[in-house]
Amino acid sequence: MVRVLNVYTISAFVAIGVALIGFDISSMSGVLGTHQYQDFYRNPLGIRQGLITSAMAAGSFAGALSAGALGNRFSRKVTIQGGSVLWCIGSAVQSASNGVPMLIFGRYGCSFMDSEASFRLPWAIQAIPAVILFVGLFWFPYSPRWLASKDRWEEVLCVLAYLRKSNNDINDPLVLAEYKEIEDQVRFEREVRAQPIRELFSPKMRKRVFLGMAVQTWSQLTGMNVMMYYIVYILQSAGITSVLLASAIQYVINVIMTIPAILWVDKYGRRPALLLGALSMALWLYLIGGLLMQYGQPNPVTNQLITWLIMDHPAVSGAILACSYLTVGSFAVTWAPVSWIYQTEVVPLRIRVRSVSLSTASNWAFNYMLALAVPPLLRSISWRLFFIFASLNVMAFIHIWFAAPETKQRTLEEIDEIFEHGEPFWKSFTGTKAPSRLEQLAKDIETGKLKIGPMAQSFD
């Protein structure tokens, strides 16, 4: 096996799969305002445009529900490769579409081209990162947890040594400790004949599963993806002339502002990020809605998706653009990374795969509903839509304040204790650093208190 640097390199490479979502958003929203797209598809409005935009989310919803079962059977690695192939097929069908039905089915720098290539090329380019992901995964290891479920114990030990900074030393205490932890978990599941699907909705677990689903649902109801998918319409309504440039800047802000989150999310915690993110986004969205209400007027041109316009108020247009950037930046540094982290930390390992599948499916379900509903809502209620999303952010703030404990630097045992016996919400802003079970096992192995041998030998 060719050695890749470490687990961070592997994680960064697999993150190409997440980048595909960004490719889809930018390639879709970037062409909505071009006359080439509008002319070819006969100016899709309202629900018709919603169907086109939301088609990818509908396919992703089905994929999220099946990902857990497929990952357990064929491995996470092979499942991701299969998804990459489907993505390439979807990109090909989408870029070759000859009408709205084929475009919907296919969704699973080009604006200056005065031809169909202005929208076909961005859709086709989406396949490139998927091809890179598919090919590159052949050089990456299988998940140790999946290998253990298939009784491939020698490979488990080798992969753990490969991922840890141990120079492939299978006798490294941390490697052996993690190996034992996996072995104990697999043995326990087999002894009790674990039924993770039933356990998902057991009285002890359903609160935690529903909390993960709720956080992912709120991340959509913040209105962020609407601000990304339909930014062209929003900027046109605000009276911005250089729409494509302004939207491109917004995409850059979205990327750059995730970097601070990587640096401080483990220092300041999950709760502060979610709470401050919801509050700040509510503020910016209320401002956008208020400015549109106060300075806008009905669009004199009929048969357009934009029914409410700001005209001859450049300062107001600039303020709305700034609020849009602040909304995206607020989301990128808070909810964007934390909503994906939090859903995995509130549930134990034995049900994590299926719980995350449900949470991710919740995300895509609301992504689909919003992408479908927003175009007709923009036509019918215009600026009021921003008040709705702002109010939803306030509701998210209240729910997180009372229902979501801090999970930063807490062991699985501590998380179990919190959900079983409760914790005052005012003590939930910071996690307490305690030695994890893995660290304790490594210490016991290093000091000789625990004897362990490779390849699933009996442990005493």
Side-chain angles (χ1 to χ4, degrees):
M1 177 165 47
V2 178
R3 180 164 179 80
V4 184
L5 291 177
N6 53 33
V7 69
Y8 298 106
T9 306
I10 295 174
S11 300
F13 186 83
V14 175
I16 292 175
V18 181
L20 293 175
I21 303 172
F23 270 89
D24 176 79
I25 292 175
S26 58
S27 67
M28 191 70 237
S29 65
V31 303
L32 292 182
T34 63
H35 71 85
Q36 297 93 335
Y37 170 85
Q38 293 174 352
D39 292 344
F40 187 84
Y41 293 106
R42 301 177 182 178
N43 193 25
L45 299 174
I47 198 70
R48 196 159 173 254
Q49 180 57 60
L51 284 169
I52 294 172
T53 307
S54 64
M56 191 274 285
S60 299
F61 171 74
L65 287 178
S66 60
L70 292 174
N72 286 339
R73 181 169 183 179
F74 300 107
S75 80
R76 284 65 160 157
K77 171 179 168 178
V78 173
T79 301
I80 294 173
Q81 287 181 307
S84 301
V85 172
L86 288 176
W87 185 273
C88 291
I89 294 172
S91 297
V93 174
Q94 185 177 348
S95 59
S97 63
N98 56 12
V100 172
M102 188 173 178
L103 174 57
I104 293 174
F105 176 76
R107 287 178 56 71
Y108 281 161
C110 299
S111 60
F112 300 102
M113 296 179 180
D114 194 18
S115 67
E116 295 174 14
S118 65
F119 57 85
R120 296 193 186 278
L121 188 57
W123 295 340
I125 289 175
Q126 293 181 91
I128 295 176
V131 171
I132 295 173
L133 181 62
F134 174 81
V135 175
L137 282 173
F138 283 108
W139 280 270
F140 285 77
Y142 289 98
S143 160
R145 184 65 176 77
W146 180 80
L147 289 170
S149 69
K150 304 301 179 184
D151 286 325
R152 294 160 63 172
W153 293 101
E154 185 175 3
E155 293 177 68
V156 172
L157 195 59
C158 291
V159 170
L160 289 175
Y162 167 82
L163 294 176
R164 289 283 181 184
K165 294 180 180 179
S166 61
N167 296 318
N168 282 336
D169 180 10
I170 62 173
N171 295 311
D172 182 273
L174 275 175
V175 171
L176 294 175
E178 192 165 4
Y179 175 88
K180 176 170 173 53
E181 191 172 49
I182 293 174
E183 198 269 351
D184 287 347
Q185 183 65 32
V186 171
R187 176 192 290 175
F188 171 79
E189 291 177 2
R190 289 176 177 174
E191 287 177 350
V192 301
R193 295 183 180 180
Q195 296 179 311
I197 295 179
R198 179 178 296 179
E199 190 177 6
L200 277 175
F201 303 105
S202 66
K204 290 180 65 175
M205 291 298 161
R206 59 191 176 206
K207 177 182 177 181
R208 300 160 72 166
V209 172
F210 290 150
L211 179 58
M213 295 172 66
V215 169
Q216 283 286 17
T217 299
W218 285 125
S219 74
Q220 286 296 324
L221 294 177
T222 60
M224 171 59 184
N225 271 343
V226 172
M227 298 293 292
M228 297 300 288
Y229 271 127
Y230 298 117
I231 183 60
V232 170
Y233 297 148
I234 295 169
L235 296 179
Q236 287 175 344
S237 182
I240 304 295
T241 53
S242 53
V243 170
L244 292 178
L245 176 60
S247 60
I249 293 173
Q250 178 158 295
Y251 301 141
V252 173
I253 291 173
N254 188 39
V255 173
I256 292 176
M257 290 303 292
T258 57
I259 297 174
I262 297 172
L263 300 177
W264 69 266
V265 70
D266 278 331
K267 181 177 181 181
Y268 297 105
R270 286 56 161 148
R271 269 178 61 89
L274 295 175
L275 292 169
L276 293 175
L279 211 56
S280 59
M281 284 187 286
L283 172 63
W284 310 132
L285 289 169
Y286 274 130
L287 285 174
I288 292 175
L291 290 171
L292 285 170
M293 176 186 68
Q294 184 67 29
Y295 295 96
Q297 62 187 56
N299 189 351
V301 181
T302 59
N303 197 31
Q304 296 292 317
L305 190 142
I306 304 301
T307 59
W308 193 264
L309 285 175
I310 287 180
M311 295 186 288
D312 302 323
H313 292 287
V316 175
S317 299
I320 291 175
L321 180 61
C323 287
S324 176
Y325 289 164
L326 288 168
T327 302
V328 171
S330 299
F331 181 87
V333 80
T334 57
W335 282 78
V338 174
S339 61
W340 295 97
I341 296 171
Y342 196 82
Q343 66 171 354
T344 65
E345 293 181 331
V346 294
V347 291
L349 288 172
R350 61 185 179 274
I351 63 168
R352 181 168 293 174
V353 171
R354 289 174 174 83
S355 176
V356 169
S357 291
L358 284 176
S359 300
T360 306
S362 301
N363 180 296
W364 285 115
F366 278 85
N367 185 313
Y368 170 76
M369 288 187 283
L370 291 174
L372 180 65
V374 163
L377 288 174
L378 278 174
R379 296 193 74 193
S380 59
I381 63 174
S382 57
W383 50 267
R384 299 172 184 86
L385 184 62
F386 295 96
F387 286 163
I388 292 174
F389 282 119
S391 300
L392 287 170
N393 274 283
V394 173
M395 293 169 63
F397 175 89
I398 295 171
H399 180 244
I400 295 299
W401 179 270
F402 287 104
E406 181 58 71
T407 57
K408 174 181 72 83
Q409 295 181 343
R410 283 180 168 162
T411 65
L412 291 174
E413 293 80 8
E414 288 175 316
I415 297 295
D416 290 340
E417 185 74 15
I418 289 170
F419 278 99
E420 287 182 20
H421 302 290
E423 178 183 54
F425 64 82
W426 59 83
K427 291 186 178 180
S428 291
F429 277 96
T430 57
T432 55
K433 177 60 179 172
S436 67
R437 181 174 183 268
L438 185 63
E439 292 171 333
Q440 189 61 49
L441 282 173
K443 183 178 179 181
D444 290 344
I445 292 170
E446 199 167 10
T447 57
K449 292 182 179 178
L450 179 66
K451 302 296 184 182
I452 185 170
M455 299 175 61
Q457 294 179 3
S458 177
F459 300 98
D460 298 321

